[in-house]
Amino acid sequence: EPEVTQTPSHQVTQMGQEVILRCVPISNHLYFYWYRQILGQKVEFLVSFYNNEISEKSEIFDDQFSVERPDGSNFTLKIRSTKLEDSAMYFCASSARVGWNEQYFGPGTRLTVT
Amino acid sequence: AQTVTQSQPEMSVQEAETVTLSCTYDTSENNYYLFWYKQPPSRQMILVIRQEAYKQQNATENRFSVNFQKAAKSFSLKISDSQLGDTAMYFCAFMSTQGGSEKLVFGKGTKLTVNP
């Protein structure tokens, strides 16, 4: 069965550094998402992406964050200048359509900012 | 803004028994979607079951069923004949149908352990 994959599984970076988290969504899906989960807290929506542009973003998704679909398969989340509070599990998801349709999640990337 | 509350951080059940996980939510909308996702240890979240708010009939998927009480804004998950493979974090989630929103709003999760 097709799966969403994410790399790396764990990323350690220093405060102020740029980091790129990578995701390969399911191949025929058109809608892409990033969520994050700070340890002990809820999974929070960051951004959704469709037709090569952001369709919705949360208050968390400020100018430090950006997303890109650089080719036909990858979907990336970039954090320009990481802060300690960016330490979290980042989940990528994709879906074939919006709404009722299931969002398929990747296994996550654990980002640790030191 | 919508919120989802799961009041049971952890639960345990004996294999073959039935367990119910609670979820309540807050919204002013009349139609929306509700989901239960399961995240086994070290694996990705997968959809267990979903319910559309305007459908009064409770959704069922094999051993998994929901008790959807719209007026009470409650969406509990019942797992019958629990199996060891049901051990996982379970997340309740809400999705609006308004304004083309696609985001899932999650609860904090319930860690379920099925004991042999």
Side-chain angles (χ1 to χ4, degrees):
Chain A
E1 187 172 334
E3 287 187 337
V4 176
T5 59
Q6 290 185 244
T7 54
S9 57
H10 189 193
Q11 172 91 45
V12 181
T13 190
Q14 288 191 326
M15 197 166 51
Q17 295 295 305
E18 175 182 285
V19 65
I20 297 175
L21 309 183
R22 291 183 167 80
C23 168
V24 179
I26 292 172
S27 63
N28 63 342
H29 284 185
L30 301 176
Y31 298 84
F32 313 111
Y33 313 87
W34 283 102
Y35 292 82
R36 80 172 185 190
Q37 185 180 28
I38 296 171
L39 189 64
Q41 298 187 24
K42 297 183 178 185
V43 175
E44 303 171 289
F45 169 80
L46 292 178
V47 66
S48 59
F49 190 85
Y50 168 70
N51 200 26
N52 277 323
E53 59 183 31
I54 291 172
S55 48
E56 187 176 3
K57 62 182 181 180
S58 72
E59 293 173 354
I60 303 167
F61 194 87
D62 61 20
D63 292 344
Q64 291 298 314
F65 291 89
S66 62
V67 289
E68 193 178 30
R69 189 154 162 82
D71 51 42
S73 60
N74 289 285
F75 178 52
T76 61
L77 174 69
K78 183 194 292 186
I79 309 175
R80 287 190 183 79
S81 178
T82 49
K83 307 184 189 76
L84 294 175
E85 54 265 36
D86 293 328
S87 294
M89 196 74 164
Y90 287 81
F91 296 103
C92 174
S94 69
S95 69
R97 289 186 298 279
V98 295
W100 181 242
N101 239 54
E102 177 179 356
Q103 291 184 18
Y104 290 79
F105 283 81
T109 292
R110 179 164 297 285
L111 177 65
T112 302
V113 182
T114 61
Chain B
Q2 294 90 1
T3 58
V4 176
T5 302
Q6 293 178 251
S7 58
Q8 306 148 316
E10 291 192 43
M11 292 191 73
S12 62
V13 64
Q14 292 299 120
E15 199 174 5
E17 294 188 348
T18 295
V19 64
T20 298
L21 309 184
S22 301
C23 173
T24 58
Y25 57 93
D26 188 27
T27 184
S28 58
E29 297 177 18
N30 191 46
N31 195 26
Y32 42 85
Y33 305 118
L34 295 164
F35 304 84
W36 278 98
Y37 277 84
K38 166 187 177 181
Q39 186 180 32
S42 303
R43 295 184 61 187
Q44 46 249 71
M45 265 193 286
I46 54 174
L47 181 66
V48 174
I49 197 166
R50 56 189 164 187
Q51 174 89 34
E52 193 159 5
Y54 77 81
K55 292 185 177 177
Q56 293 190 339
Q57 187 172 8
N58 289 324
T60 299
E61 290 284 345
N62 301 314
R63 298 183 295 107
F64 298 87
S65 61
V66 297
N67 182 5
F68 174 50
Q69 301 288 329
K70 191 173 183 180
K73 295 179 183 172
S74 170
F75 183 61
S76 60
L77 174 70
K78 185 171 86 171
I79 306 174
S80 303
D81 185 25
S82 298
Q83 300 175 0
L84 297 178
D86 295 333
T87 292
M89 281 292 288
Y90 286 82
F91 295 97
C92 180
F94 172 101
M95 181 187 285
S96 170
T97 61
Q98 293 185 3
S101 179
E102 307 149 44
K103 68 180 182 186
L104 289 165
V105 177
F106 285 91
K108 285 188 82 168
T110 296
K111 183 178 180 181
L112 176 67
T113 302
V114 180
N115 299 308

